[in-house]
Amino acid sequence: MNAPHVPKVAGIQPALPAPAHNPDASPAQPPAESGSPVAATPDVRPVEHLAAVQDRLAGWISDLTTLHELTERLARTETLDSALHELLRAGAALVGARRGMIVLEPADGQGPDTTVGLGLGPADLGTIETIPRSSASYGRILDGLPPEGGARPGQLDEVAHPDLRNEPDLDPRHREVAARLGYAASYAVPLATEAAGRLGAAVWLYDEPTEPVERQRHLIGLYTRYATEQLARHLELTRARATADTLRDELLPSRLPRVGGVRLAVRHRTGPQGGGDWYDALPLPEGALGLAVGGVSGSGPSAVAAMGRLRASLRAYAVMEGEDPVAVLSDLELLLRLTEPARSATALFIHCEQRTLLMAGAGHCPPLIVGDRRTEFVETSLSAPLGMLSCWEAPSVEFEAAPGETLLLYSDGLLHRTGEPMDRAFARLHAAAASVPRSVRDDPDAVADHVLRTVLPDGRDTADGPEDVVLLAVHFEDPGAAAR
């Protein structure tokens, strides 16, 4: 005679075997007759056990789904700052906090060091930083101090303050700051990887005395383990960009020259990969001024290096024969073709003597003159970029600027960042220059700012873009303006 079996639930085999008989059967139950099936009532304990297993599996699936969604959001971040804010937001959701902060302080000392907050303003963060470092939870983590009151098993680096108001031996300043900002508990974890070491610490703040339960601690541990790897990648990229920016800035003029009758202003925005757009302004013999803008093909460190070589070469040619812009660009073309045959470049060079401008362009955008009586493009002779022809030469163009006018030299990145076709981008630039208020037309800095904000509105003039932007404003002073 076979004992009955508990049915399978959701495809899971019962963990406990069904008993051969039912000792809890009621005495009133009639015994089974010989040859008939067993009529015992099945034990309900295996069913309850299976229900508990199902609940636990459902909880695991829910936790994995949540972690997957949060790590997907973190993976889509593009900058170190956005990754820090996403880590704060996700961590607060996992540990059940409303506010928090991350102190980024890489152990190798190479920076960048920064502090970002969630639900905390700059003044709040500054107030928290007045807590003695040895008492602040993030300070203990960054300095490698043991947690106050001992550590939990397996969580040697976490620092939990479940009740700051009543915690003994707490620094008085710590308790004072917590009361002022209105938080009663905190929970901090380190941000570290095996390769990069300790990067910083994340702290979440609670409005009431509490601390994360074991499940929340487990989830935040899994999440921060992945998040710190992502932060390390962003940190490496940020440092590489900073190095490239420093290199590029060193290859460009550290300051613009001061020449009688002319005032200069420049705006330079760099793409995330670092392009090869450049500008220059240098004094020439006999009180003349050399002006140049240009760009090399490609992006990244190789383009930056090529830009530096090209600019240095143009400077040398300008000093030797700057009064002949065609000769300057012809020499530059020959150098580029012989030393870097796989690369092309655009360039515009202007020899400026008082208000007389002699210019030559190689595939570069025409300059724009802005004044009270006119706003128009100064057409240079049509020519291919440097490196595109076996022999480059185009006639120069002479132009006379009026007192009080401003000449705008720019890179094609200014036009490309608009996202519009080139004809509409040129029209947008022209309209922006024409709309410069008369009250600021004598200030090249104000003119450059107005044009840049108008052509690239909504913060696109400062945000990272795929193209470099160069805008050089050359203002020719009106001697009679001061007298009037």
Side-chain angles (χ1 to χ4, degrees):
M1 185 164 52
N2 296 325
H5 293 277
V6 178
K8 293 182 179 180
V9 178
I12 302 175
Q13 183 68 30
L16 299 176
H21 66 280
N22 186 359
D24 299 326
S26 171
Q29 180 180 354
E33 297 180 0
S34 178
S36 64
V38 176
T41 303
D43 194 336
V44 297
R45 283 175 294 178
V47 178
E48 293 174 350
H49 177 75
L50 288 175
V53 170
Q54 284 184 303
D55 290 342
R56 180 172 297 181
L57 286 176
W60 288 344
I61 293 173
S62 176
D63 290 344
L64 289 175
T65 302
T66 299
L67 286 175
H68 175 74
E69 293 174 352
L70 294 178
T71 53
E72 283 282 314
R73 289 175 60 94
L74 185 64
R76 289 195 293 268
T77 57
E78 298 180 352
T79 64
L80 178 62
D81 185 68
S82 62
L84 291 172
H85 282 90
E86 175 59 26
L87 191 161
L88 261 182
R89 187 200 64 80
L94 290 174
V95 301
R98 190 172 61 90
R99 293 178 290 175
M101 60 184 287
I102 289 180
V103 180
L104 187 69
E105 190 177 300
D108 58 12
Q110 298 182 24
D113 295 348
T114 186
T115 301
V116 298
L118 173 69
L120 297 171
D124 299 331
L125 296 175
T127 301
I128 293 175
E129 289 176 353
T130 64
I131 300 174
R133 191 175 173 99
S134 59
S135 177
S137 53
Y138 67 86
R140 302 190 68 83
I141 289 175
L142 294 176
D143 295 339
L145 300 175
E148 295 172 318
R152 293 169 56 87
Q155 299 285 344
L156 298 180
D157 285 330
E158 72 173 3
V159 179
H161 293 288
D163 190 355
L164 288 166
R165 298 167 186 167
N166 300 310
E167 185 171 330
D169 302 326
L170 187 68
D171 188 278
R173 180 58 182 169
H174 196 165
R175 187 177 289 107
E176 177 186 347
V177 169
R180 178 182 300 180
L181 299 183
Y183 65 90
S186 67
Y187 179 71
V189 296
L191 304 175
T193 66
E194 293 184 3
R198 187 156 290 167
L199 303 180
V203 186
W204 289 278
L205 309 177
Y206 299 90
D207 296 340
E208 301 294 335
T210 187
E211 64 179 321
V213 298
E214 193 63 39
R215 170 177 165 272
Q216 291 173 316
R217 294 173 188 264
H218 178 67
L219 289 177
I220 196 64
L222 293 175
Y223 180 73
T224 54
R225 193 177 306 151
Y226 169 82
T228 48
E229 295 289 345
Q230 183 77 352
L231 287 182
R233 289 190 287 269
H234 278 302
L235 183 63
E236 183 180 358
L237 183 58
T238 299
R239 289 175 173 176
R241 288 177 178 174
T243 301
D245 289 343
T246 302
L247 174 63
R248 182 170 45 253
D249 291 342
E250 291 297 322
L251 293 175
L252 294 174
S254 58
R255 62 183 181 87
L256 296 174
R258 301 182 65 177
V259 179
V262 177
R263 285 190 294 154
L264 304 172
V266 68
R267 298 295 181 267
H268 184 210
R269 305 289 186 262
T270 306
Q273 297 184 4
D277 287 1
W278 53 275
Y279 64 92
D280 207 349
L282 68 157
L284 296 177
E286 300 180 0
L289 177 66
L291 302 168
V293 291
V296 301
S297 59
S299 61
S302 63
V304 173
M307 174 268 287
R309 293 191 294 268
L310 201 66
R311 173 179 170 266
S313 301
L314 187 143
R315 279 200 148 207
Y317 298 144
V319 170
M320 292 186 295
E321 48 192 9
E323 70 281 356
D324 186 357
V326 172
V328 171
L329 294 188
S330 296
D331 292 343
L332 202 62
E333 154 70 22
L334 179 61
L335 178 71
L336 189 68
R337 183 155 40 89
L338 293 177
T339 60
E340 301 187 57
R343 194 180 295 279
S344 63
T346 66
L348 175 68
F349 178 72
I350 300 176
H351 180 271
C352 176
E353 190 169 359
Q354 295 182 349
R355 294 193 307 276
T356 301
L357 286 72
L358 191 62
M359 65 184 72
H364 202 80
C365 304
L368 181 63
I369 190 74
V370 182
D372 292 339
R373 298 181 179 274
R374 59 178 174 174
T375 300
E376 60 187 27
F377 290 102
V378 182
E379 294 297 337
T380 58
S381 300
L382 294 177
S383 171
L386 303 175
M388 298 292 288
L389 301 176
S390 59
C391 180
W392 179 91
E393 185 169 340
S396 59
V397 174
E398 186 171 337
F399 178 78
E400 191 77 19
E405 291 187 325
T406 300
L407 186 71
L408 298 178
L409 312 179
Y410 53 95
S411 66
D412 57 0
L414 176 64
L415 305 175
H416 291 315
R417 277 208 192 189
T418 64
E420 298 178 341
M422 290 301 286
D423 56 342
R424 295 183 61 181
F426 274 115
R428 189 186 189 96
L429 174 60
H430 185 278
S435 66
V436 174
R438 290 180 178 271
S439 60
V440 300
R441 287 190 177 181
D442 291 337
D443 183 356
D445 283 288
V447 171
D449 287 336
H450 174 86
V451 170
L452 204 57
R453 287 195 306 264
T454 307
V455 176
L456 301 174
D458 303 325
R460 283 182 289 170
D461 61 320
T462 56
D464 285 342
E467 301 277 352
D468 287 3
V469 173
V470 169
L471 179 61
L472 178 62
V474 185
H475 179 72
F476 300 93
E477 294 180 333
D478 183 1
R484 293 195 298 267

